[in-house]
């Protein structure tokens, strides 16, 4: 079954064709980063306008790169949640129109579940269920247990900012550049991560054992501004970046290691934009008892291949979405359960 995937939940306009939920025939990702960079963050109005301008060409490109015509597509899958409402509506409406015009099956899926599916699109080292998921994006931070592609139990989450949001806010505050996570990751390579000591949140007991928090770290980093000025010449911007990144990664690691210890599950799948972070990748890779699986970088960020991939499994079970399904800014489809 050749499935067309459409993804427009944030600032990536993406279309992909995936065969039988595992073979990527094409995966076109058009990023809007230059259009949002002047504002140091995604501007929802600009995002939905760009998706409207681009979605046809991006989809046509995905079909061309797969060597297929419109008639060769067997089904359409689209992200309808969570994300920016206006952006989601563009992809959703386009996908509905495509499916209706061709009279082929159509299903709308959850973007975060799709991130967790991404490493199953790679040829080797496909994760077996159950595994622990670390979903870290600009809007969400979720530590979960995955028993199947659609059977995901949330173990922990953030009690305030998402991991990517913390990177973005710190970068914006210090004018490091955009997107924050990418810039801080790059700057940190030349920085001294021991230059500044930032606090870890005191969230490691009881029901918060798998939760994370970033507001304290963010405040501590921002409060270094005066200190940073005083130390100018002695302390470089990359030292702030590296010290922040080190703590941000340790916060994720602590919650994840707690979950691995308590559940006895040693396979970890990371997904979402922050899963591209080089320190997070190396810190996880060096954990002796864990088998950490990261999707390749092009499948870490937002992409339509993961959407087409997971959608295939719902379609194969005979599930369909009605053509009046709407978008939602919220994550759904996870089981929320604290052990
Ligand atoms: O999953 P994603 O592409 O979009 C959302 O669904 O939010 O994630 C975007 C987030 C942004 O906050 C961005 O700063 C962060 O991922 N990010 C990174 C890195 N690359 C992207 N954060 C840390 N290190 C990176 N290398
Ligand atoms: Zn995402």
């Amino acid at each position: 079954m050749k499935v067309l995937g459409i993804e427009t939940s944030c600032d990536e306009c993406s279309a992909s064709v995936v065969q039988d939920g595992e073979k990527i025939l094409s995966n076109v990702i058009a990023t809007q980063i230059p259009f949002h960079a002047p504002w140091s963050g995604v501007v929802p109005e600009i995002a939905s306008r760009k998706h409207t301008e681009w979605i046809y060409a991006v989809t046509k490109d995905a079909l061309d790169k797969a060597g297929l015509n419109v008639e060769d597509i067997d089904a359409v899958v689209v992200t309808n949640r969570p994300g920016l409402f206006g952006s989601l509506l563009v992809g959703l409406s386009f996908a509905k129109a495509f499916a209706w015009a061709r009279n082929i099956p159509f299903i709308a899926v959850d973007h975060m579940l799709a991130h967790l599916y991404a490493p199953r699109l790679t040829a080797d080292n496909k994760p077996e269920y159950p595994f622990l998921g670390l979903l870290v994006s600009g809007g969400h931070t979720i530590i979960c247990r995955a028993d199947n592609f659609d059977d995901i139990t949330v173990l922990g989450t953030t009690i305030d900012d998402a991991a990517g949001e913390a990177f973005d806010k710190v970068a914006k505050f210090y004018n490091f550049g955009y997107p924050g996570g990418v810039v801080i990751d790059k700057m940190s390579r030349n920085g001294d991560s021991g230059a500044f000591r930032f606090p870890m949140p005191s969230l490691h007991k009881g029901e918060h054992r798998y939760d994370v928090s970033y507001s304290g770290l963010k405040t501590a980093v921002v409060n270094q501004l005066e200190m940073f000025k005083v130390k100018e010449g002695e302390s470089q911007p990359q030292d702030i970046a590296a010290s922040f990144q080190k703590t941000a990664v340790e916060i994720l690691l602590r919650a994840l290691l707690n979950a691995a210890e308590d559940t006895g599950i040693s396979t970890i799948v990371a997904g979402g934009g922050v899963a591209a972070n080089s320190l997070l990748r190396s810190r996880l890779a060096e954990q002796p008892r864990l088998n950490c699986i990261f999707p390749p970088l092009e499948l870490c960020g937002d992409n339509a291949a993961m959407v087409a991939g997971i959608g295939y499994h719902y379609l194969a079970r005979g599930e369909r979405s009605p053509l009046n399904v709407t978008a939602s800014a919220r994550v759904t489809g996870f089981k929320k359960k604290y052990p």
Side-chain angles (χ1 to χ4, degrees):
M1 185 192 274
K2 295 187 186 70
V3 174
L4 172 68
I6 302 280
E7 158 64 46
T8 62
S9 66
C10 191
D11 60 342
E12 252 60 75
C13 187
S14 180
S16 163
V17 183
V18 175
Q19 187 159 4
D20 299 334
E22 55 181 21
K23 186 163 183 239
I24 299 176
L25 303 183
S26 65
N27 187 23
V28 176
I29 306 167
T31 181
Q32 301 179 357
I33 285 174
F35 298 94
H36 301 286
W39 284 271
S40 300
V42 178
V43 182
E45 181 74 15
I46 294 176
S48 44
R49 282 171 190 249
K50 287 289 157 205
H51 286 311
T52 305
E53 286 171 25
W54 292 359
I55 187 66
Y56 166 73
V58 165
T59 305
K60 178 79 173 64
D61 199 16
L63 291 175
D64 289 349
K65 290 207 163 85
L68 299 172
N69 294 314
V70 171
E71 297 73 34
D72 300 319
I73 296 299
D74 301 307
V76 185
V77 183
V78 63
T79 298
N80 79 325
R81 63 193 187 275
L84 302 170
F85 202 78
S87 291
L88 288 164
L89 286 179
V90 177
L92 180 60
S93 301
F94 188 86
K96 283 180 184 182
F98 193 110
W100 194 33
R102 290 274 339 280
N103 194 23
I104 53 177
F106 161 81
I107 191 148
V109 300
D110 184 286
H111 176 88
M112 298 310 290
L113 290 185
H115 268 305
L116 214 45
Y117 185 83
R120 295 190 62 85
L121 291 164
T122 53
D124 45 56
N125 207 12
K126 283 189 209 286
E128 296 296 328
Y129 298 105
F131 57 75
L132 290 180
L134 175 66
L135 287 171
V136 274
S137 71
H140 299 91
T141 305
I142 297 172
I143 289 172
C144 55
R145 176 193 164 111
D147 287 284
N148 201 348
F149 73 94
D150 65 338
D151 185 3
I152 316 286
T153 306
V154 175
L155 301 175
T157 180
T158 177
I159 61 161
D160 39 57
D161 289 350
E165 191 179 356
F167 276 87
D168 295 339
K169 283 181 175 169
V170 166
K172 185 171 183 177
F173 183 81
Y174 281 101
N175 277 321
F176 287 161
Y178 175 83
V182 179
V183 177
I184 288 179
D185 193 352
K186 209 175 273 173
M187 289 172 73
S188 299
R189 283 175 208 155
N190 305 312
D192 172 9
S193 64
F196 296 89
R197 291 194 59 163
F198 296 127
M200 294 283 285
S202 50
L203 272 180
H204 44 92
K205 297 200 196 89
E207 61 165 3
H208 287 308
R209 234 171 111 67
Y210 321 121
D211 286 334
V212 301
S213 160
Y214 280 103
S215 70
L217 171 61
K218 189 187 63 196
T219 306
V221 175
V222 163
N223 285 344
Q224 288 298 329
L225 182 62
E226 291 310 313
M227 171 77 155
F228 176 60
K229 280 185 193 151
V230 173
K231 289 180 87 180
E232 220 166 359
E234 177 191 331
S235 190
Q236 304 292 330
Q238 57 266 33
D239 295 338
I240 287 261
S243 305
F244 159 76
Q245 176 175 275
K246 181 176 169 225
T247 312
V249 166
E250 290 309 313
I251 289 173
L252 291 175
L253 211 61
R254 186 177 68 183
L256 192 62
L257 290 176
N258 282 343
E261 189 183 318
D262 295 356
T263 58
I265 298 175
S266 56
T267 300
I268 313 283
V269 168
V274 185
N277 185 268
S278 54
L279 181 66
L280 178 64
R281 292 171 95 95
S282 62
R283 286 289 287 129
L284 277 169
E286 71 195 26
Q287 300 303 315
R289 283 189 291 272
L290 300 184
N291 167 30
C292 294
I293 300 176
F294 288 95
L297 289 182
E298 68 276 12
L299 295 177
C300 268
D302 291 348
N303 69 88
M306 64 184 191
V307 174
I310 193 170
Y312 164 80
H313 294 275
Y314 292 106
L315 293 164
R317 275 198 318 219
E319 292 184 39
R320 307 285 184 264
S321 293
L323 282 177
N324 65 354
V325 67
T326 189
S328 165
R330 299 182 66 83
V331 182
T332 52
F334 285 81
K335 287 187 202 162
K336 281 216 168 60
K337 192 172 75 185
Y338 284 91

